[in-house]
Amino acid sequence: MRHFAVVGSGPAGFYTAEALEKAYGANARIDILDRYPVPYGLIRFGVAPDHQSLKAVSKRYDKVAESAGVNFIGNVMVGRDVSIAELLDLYDAVILATGAPHDRKLGVPGEDLAGVIGSGEFVGWYNGHPEYADLDPFLLGSNAVIIGAGNVALDCARILAKTRHEFEGSDIVGHALDALDNSAIRTITILGRRGPHQVAMTPKELGELGHLEAAVPEIDLGDFPPLEADEPLEPGLRKSVTILRSFAQLPQNKPKRMVFDFFAKPVRVEGDGRVERVIVERTELDEKGGARGTGETYAVPASLVITAIGYSTSPIPDVPFAGGKFVNEQGRIADRLYAVGWARRGPTGTIGTNRPDGYEVADQVAVAMPAGSCGDRQGAEGLKRLLQSRGVMPTDYDDWRKIEQSETANARAGSPREKFVRHEHWLQTIGR
Ligand code: NAP
């Protein structure tokens, strides 16, 4: 019997477990560890609550968790409750699928002022992440500025713009819904440090902005190159640029504006005790397509700033780490230690991009330890003994099911669930 530990129960972790299960069948036990008693990582805490069809992928993960050789072991934090060296002693291979939950820093003066938050914090707040339950983003001013021209910036802008009615059918948490309902924000400015041809925004997500109840997107056609320059763009990007251009035709007849400000690089955040404005430098493209400052600056009023400029992985003691992710070669970190997903390659790609990652690493494991070969490691039994000796109480998938049932039973009208946002609340629900 082989024993494998997958650390992290987001998409990358589940695809890896699925691949290992397929490769080894009854000859392996695969334990998916998570610091929380609730699984799915990015699906629960990252994907926007109004994108329920994307969240439905968790049904596939349920099937993996329910297969005979796979166990979910929640409420265990690797690096705190158990070390990597101990896991490697207990398991034939350890695969880190810990995602990239931390906001990258902007690196400009003033970014620590009150009212400046990272998208990871804001997204965590409206998605019921316990670390951000008390974030209380300042929504009582009229100007929000979002820095970054990717899909996370679009998620944040859309969530700030939507009405209570538009959240029907979503699983946005109650505290965020109420706060957003009382929001005074009227202008949401999205700052892209490069131009419309360099956006990382995808067509479906951009298209949604044209159909909002109370907000209308606004662009300046002067930021765009001549129309014929769109022709050679890769089809997805061309579509995004076409949608952006189409915003120029929309009547500006709704109470909230969503302003796209391109070639605008934040150089400073200013305010008396809290954020009041972002100082932006006008840019142009350099020879390599990067943003080169022109020296011209201007101020964008801001009562709230959200940076949406990418994420980094949490370091784990004794695991080599650089550039916001684990140092690895095609997923291999060291003997029997691997990384998958955003912890392996950084925060890029869709949920599905994690699947080939997981399968590739599972293949490497299967080459090193062919199915049918035997190991003498203790796996989950040894891990549970070790955790017990430290007073750590792991949870399992049945516990998660109880939490899920309770969240479903507590759902307000029109929502699939009311997520519990406190670790204690999860544990109380399962009688701990
Ligand atoms: P992203 O796609 O990498 O976009 C990051 C943006 O931040 C880029 O526009 C980048 O500009 C900008 N940026 C980086 N550093 C900056 C700085 N110092 N100052 C100003 N701007 C800066 O990252 P993301 O939006 O966090 O998304 C992460 C991944 O999740 C992406 O693959 C995304 O597609 C995916 N995602 C998908 C969905 C969906 O499908 N619905 C939703 C959310 C996220 P440059 O290009 O100039 O570097």
Side-chain angles (χ1 to χ4, degrees):
M1 180 65 70
R2 293 288 184 183
H3 295 276
F4 301 120
V6 175
V7 182
S9 69
F14 269 104
Y15 288 124
T16 305
E18 179 185 89
L20 287 169
E21 214 263 333
K22 279 192 182 157
Y24 285 88
N27 294 320
R29 291 274 173 279
I30 302 140
D31 294 333
I32 305 177
L33 276 55
D34 201 290
R35 63 191 288 210
Y36 295 132
V38 298
Y40 312 142
L42 181 89
I43 304 297
R44 180 176 173 103
F45 296 123
V47 172
D50 56 342
H51 283 170
Q52 288 295 308
S53 56
L54 280 179
K55 294 200 180 219
V57 71
S58 64
K59 302 233 174 347
R60 175 178 179 150
Y61 305 157
D62 285 337
K63 289 213 168 65
V64 176
E66 281 155 8
S67 51
V70 178
N71 289 308
F72 174 73
I73 304 182
N75 208 28
V76 176
M77 189 160 166
V78 173
R80 182 193 65 191
D81 301 330
V82 55
S83 71
I84 286 291
E86 287 165 336
L87 280 184
L88 284 167
D89 201 34
L90 292 164
Y91 289 90
D92 291 290
V94 175
I95 300 106
L96 303 178
T98 47
H102 298 297
D103 289 298
R104 274 191 196 140
K105 296 293 272 181
L106 200 52
V108 303
E111 74 172 308
D112 295 322
L113 275 174
V116 182
I117 57 176
S119 55
E121 299 173 280
F122 184 60
V123 171
W125 171 74
Y126 64 63
N127 262 333
H129 192 294
E131 258 174 44
Y132 307 116
D134 298 318
L135 182 72
D136 196 17
F138 184 72
L139 302 176
L140 301 179
S142 49
N143 296 295
V145 170
I146 301 176
I147 299 170
N151 280 330
V152 171
L154 288 185
D155 279 349
C156 295
R158 192 180 68 254
I159 295 295
L160 284 174
K162 276 196 165 179
T163 61
R164 179 176 275 272
H165 172 242
E166 286 176 291
F167 283 114
E168 263 175 36
S170 81
D171 65 348
I172 190 165
V173 292
H175 66 220
L177 183 63
D178 291 340
L180 289 163
D181 201 22
N182 290 319
S183 162
I185 289 170
R186 290 295 169 268
T187 304
I188 301 157
T189 305
I190 299 172
L191 297 178
R193 65 177 168 181
R194 299 189 289 156
H197 275 197
Q198 288 76 36
V199 292
M201 300 163 164
T202 45
K204 183 179 161 291
E205 284 62 33
L206 269 172
E208 284 178 70
L209 302 190
H211 308 280
L212 296 174
E213 218 168 75
V216 64
E218 198 178 309
I219 54 110
D220 176 355
L221 279 174
D223 285 337
F224 288 66
L227 192 57
E228 58 272 19
D230 293 0
E231 228 9 73
L233 294 177
E234 170 276 314
L237 179 57
R238 192 165 63 225
K239 213 165 170 186
S240 289
V241 175
T242 304
I243 294 169
L244 278 167
R245 283 186 193 275
S246 75
F247 291 161
Q249 316 302 326
L250 294 174
Q252 296 292 320
N253 57 358
K254 295 181 184 169
K256 295 185 191 175
R257 301 162 65 214
M258 201 177 272
V259 181
F260 284 84
D261 192 357
F262 289 111
F263 298 108
K265 182 175 82 168
V267 290
R268 207 161 58 246
V269 181
E270 289 182 349
D272 188 5
R274 60 168 304 110
V275 61
E276 290 172 31
R277 69 198 78 85
V278 179
I279 306 299
V280 164
E281 182 177 16
R282 189 53 76 211
T283 66
E284 57 190 16
L285 292 179
D286 64 19
E287 300 68 31
K288 290 184 177 155
R292 175 171 54 209
T294 62
E296 178 198 341
T297 59
Y298 58 98
V300 181
S303 46
L304 171 73
V305 173
I306 302 174
T307 59
I309 58 169
Y311 299 112
S312 62
T313 299
S314 298
I316 297 179
D318 303 325
V319 182
F321 185 87
K325 57 188 187 210
F326 298 120
V327 178
N328 71 89
E329 243 175 70
Q330 283 164 340
R332 185 181 176 280
I333 301 173
D335 188 31
R336 301 188 293 111
L337 180 62
Y338 301 86
V340 290
W342 284 8
R344 166 188 175 176
R345 53 174 219 281
T348 56
T350 62
I351 292 162
T353 315
N354 294 299
R355 191 170 182 272
D357 249 42
Y359 275 73
E360 196 188 319
V361 164
D363 279 351
Q364 290 185 45
V365 174
V367 166
M369 298 166 217
S373 65
C374 280
D376 57 1
R377 305 205 184 250
Q378 299 171 35
E381 259 178 48
L383 175 64
K384 283 178 184 163
R385 264 198 303 274
L386 184 69
L387 293 172
Q388 199 175 21
S389 74
R390 291 177 182 166
V392 178
M393 284 191 291
T395 62
D396 62 19
Y397 221 64
D398 288 341
D399 293 323
W400 154 237
R401 290 301 202 191
K402 279 184 209 149
I403 296 170
E404 189 184 35
Q405 275 166 17
S406 192
E407 289 187 337
T408 311
N410 276 292
R412 61 182 178 272
S415 171
R417 67 191 72 82
E418 183 61 50
K419 286 184 196 161
F420 300 145
V421 300
R422 307 268 174 203
H423 205 136
E424 316 82 85
H425 206 157
W426 293 328
L427 295 180
Q428 275 163 20
T429 309
I430 53 177
R432 298 282 169 82

